[in-house]
Amino acid sequence: MKHIKNIARMKEEVAQLKADGKTIGFVPTMGFLHDGHLQLVEKAKQQVDVVIMSIFVNPLQFGENEDFDSYPKDLEKDLHLAEQHGVHQLFIPTAAEMYPDTMSIKMIVQRGADILCGSSRPGHFDGVATVVMKLFNIIEPDIAYFGMKDAQQVAIIKQMVADYHLNLTIVPVPTVREKDGLAMSSRNVNLSHMERQEAPHIYKTLAEAKNKALQGHFKTVAGLEDWVKQALKRDLKLGRIDYITCLKFPELIRPGALTGSVILATAVHYEQVRLIDNVMWEQFPI
Amino acid sequence: MKHIKNIARMKEEVAQLKADGKTIGFVPTMGFLHDGHLQLVEKAKQQVDVVIMSIFVNPLQFGENEDFDSYPKDLEKDLHLAEQHGVHQLFIPTAAEMYPDTMSIKMIVQRGADILCGSSRPGHFDGVATVVMKLFNIIEPDIAYFGMKDAQQVAIIKQMVADYHLNLTIVPVPTVREKDGLAMSSRNVNLSHMERQEAPHIYKTLAEAKNKALQGHFKTVAGLEDWVKQALKRDLKLGRIDYITCLKFPELIRPGALTGSVILATAVHYEQVRLIDNVMWEQFPI
């Protein structure tokens, strides 16, 4: 496995792969790899010749009071895991490499960014879109892989690919969970012991709500959201609900009914971590 | 010459050209072609296998009170001129094709867009960057050609290419002028007869200022700008000065001295038209 820190060097590698007729699968990450990331790699290995992973904790997508500084890191373990799982090339640029002082043109997301995570993280998806557009142009993947835990990110990136006519396919991969149901996230290590014990309630509640919805238990979208809100308020002693929202996916608009491609998403604040999770009515088309 | 209206169709053509190993030169225009545009085509023909021109009056780069509706059009003449000058493919999308309702992610220019034309045309360069990024991804040119009359546009597009790691080269082409020195522009037809007679003073004054500067006539940048301001105020009876600014190019920052890669740029309002022009101390590196 090659480690590459420099953009120009990465572009040379990509140019060589293209010249050799290889297809490229891209797995963008912020590192501190877990099984969720490794599932993206596994999916990529089935579909492309060469898997390129990036590890970059993108400062542009963190707000001032967010956890940029405490975002967990373990590069040595990441290198080992990536190698072990068959990643061919690992792109690890510095922030100065990705955002030199001269950088002046940013992406802004005008729709779908002021709801869900966007409302408590203003500018977050602008930062995501900007870095992903840069990474796509460096890596030039045929397919890029994103986890469905960040469903809103998947929806926005798909929109960006359409808006800018990019020659690549976005493949969303289902959320990987701990045995107790908690969605895998690099941030989980920053939960306290008590918070970690409580956190699986989030998924349990979402899954129960989905089952009830499929059985026709809720008359309205608001009725479903309210049920989840009451259940989480009852079960979470440490977590504070940020939002509970049901939307059509990937349009991210209010659904008329609780059928079809519907997503139920939530975010919960803990002391040092904000967790997100979601369930979908239909499996996202792969 | 092929005319193509549809993005998907254009991308198919491009894919075929790439598969055939052809290099692509791209000349983006808003139509109503003049010798300035045709010089871009001539330059392209020297450097690439296939020349693709786009004609698209981009609504996103016009402000509310600007001349989008009165922007001159003559598609039949454009087709004839493009064909005659050896353009291979002409891409003429509709606004609905380029900006479907779902389009939601825009580019914003955070530096270099609040000066010169940007200060009287807020959002203009965001619209330029957005459409050019889209066009670059549709056409995938090896080289794209831009006229130096729009020097600020050249600087911002070059910055965008750097910021987003695009695999293409920007080639700026010197401004083409009428015999009396007026910079060629599609908008010139919207000058009244009297305005048209006066307008060549703009270039005459810029050229004279440049000569004086090269002879050491001005002690400071402000002194140069002030001299141009007084000269234009004296000579223009119908035109109203928007700005007279001297900057380093392509950085678009205040120069320490009147040497090196310096640009002196101005914009003048007439009744229905806003004209821009500039002179550079050094020939822009081609």
Side-chain angles (χ1 to χ4, degrees), chain A residues 81-191:
Chain A
L81 281 171
E83 172 112 54
Q84 190 182 34
H85 285 264
V87 169
H88 298 94
Q89 300 195 9
L90 199 53
F91 179 50
I92 317 180
T94 61
E97 179 83 0
M98 289 296 279
Y99 299 115
D101 281 346
T102 52
M103 164 109 194
S104 87
I105 300 176
K106 305 264 156 64
M107 317 281 308
I108 51 164
V109 184
Q110 301 197 303
R111 194 160 41 208
D114 54 348
I115 50 171
L116 303 173
C117 293
S119 51
S120 61
R121 304 190 72 186
H124 169 67
F125 288 108
D126 300 343
V128 170
T130 299
V131 79
V132 171
M133 183 67 117
K134 285 167 69 73
L135 289 168
F136 281 175
N137 285 328
I138 295 167
I139 309 287
E140 294 183 72
D142 297 282
I143 309 179
Y145 299 84
F146 290 85
M148 269 299 285
K149 181 169 75 66
D150 300 287
Q152 187 175 12
Q153 173 174 277
V154 171
I156 288 171
I157 299 295
K158 283 175 76 78
Q159 186 63 51
M160 186 176 79
V161 168
D163 285 353
Y164 288 92
H165 321 288
L166 305 180
N167 284 325
L168 63 92
T169 303
I170 301 300
V171 169
V173 175
T175 302
V176 179
R177 300 182 178 282
E178 304 288 353
K179 279 185 188 148
D180 57 14
L182 179 64
M184 288 200 182
S185 165
S186 306
R187 290 182 166 101
N188 289 349
V189 293
N190 287 341
L191 292 168

Side-chain angles (χ1 to χ4, degrees), chain B residues 137-155:
Chain B
N137 285 327
I138 295 167
I139 309 287
E140 295 184 70
D142 298 282
I143 308 179
Y145 299 84
F146 289 84
M148 269 300 284
K149 182 170 73 68
D150 300 287
Q152 188 175 11
Q153 173 174 276
V154 170

